[in-house]
């Protein structure tokens, strides 16, 4: 099996059966993200214990890439500290935009590297991450913010 086939299978699987999909109650932060280029909309909710992301969920509607990316993200950051999640965001951003060979340290997130060949889809894959970063910065459910990739 070619690596690209493996990556495609991961994307398809996470799109068909998104992990951590639904509403999180209570949540410490809830942020909505929107990618006008594609029409992807999703809400990311996090529950924190100090600096640790103890739970995370997302919901919304978007293309296969945006849904799979959000699903993979929730798996990747649950249990991580806020600082570690931000570091991971930088690595994923490099994965999506550079030719940097980061695949090994990113595990399943490496499946998103195929998006590099389709610049118009990069925002589909990065939307959930921008939304997460905003949620980690706000952490206040009373001030739910909105994020746009524009
Ligand atoms: Zn999209």
């Amino acid at each position: 099996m070619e690596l690209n086939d493996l990556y495609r299978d991961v994307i398809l699987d996470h799109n068909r059966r998104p992990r951590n999909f639904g509403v999180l109650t209570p949540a410490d932060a809830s942020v909505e993200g929107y990618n006008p280029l594609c029409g992807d909309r999703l809400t990311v909710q996090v529950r924190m214990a100090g600096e640790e992301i103890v739970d995370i969920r997302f919901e919304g509607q978007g293309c296969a890439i945006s849904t799979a990316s959000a699903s993979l993200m929730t798996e990747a950051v649950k249990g991580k500290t806020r600082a570690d999640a931000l570091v991971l965001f930088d690595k994923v951003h490099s994965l999506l935009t550079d030719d940097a060979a980061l695949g090994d340290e990113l595990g399943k997130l490496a499946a998103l590297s195929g998006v590099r060949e389709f610049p118009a889809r990069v925002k589909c894959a990065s939307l959930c991450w921008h939304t997460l970063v905003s949620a980690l910065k706000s952490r206040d459910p009373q001030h739910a913010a909105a994020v746009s990739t524009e």
Side-chain angles (χ1 to χ4, degrees), residues 35 38-40 62-63 65-66 121 124:
N35 171 20
C38 180
D40 309 315
C63 64
I65 299 283
S66 71
R121 310 309 297 277
C124 299

Side-chain angles (χ1 to χ4, degrees), residues 4 7 95-96 99 112-122:
N4 282 343
Y7 284 172
L95 179 79
L96 295 174
D99 278 331
L112 296 168
S113 63
V115 171
R116 268 201 305 245
E117 293 163 43
F118 308 97
R121 310 309 297 277
V122 168

Side-chain angles (χ1 to χ4, degrees), residues 22-30 45-48 54-59:
V23 177
L24 182 63
T25 32
D28 293 306
S30 176
Q45 295 181 292
V46 293
R47 188 182 305 151
M48 308 293 295
V54 289
D55 209 352
I56 176 166
R57 298 227 183 127
F58 80 101
E59 60 170 356

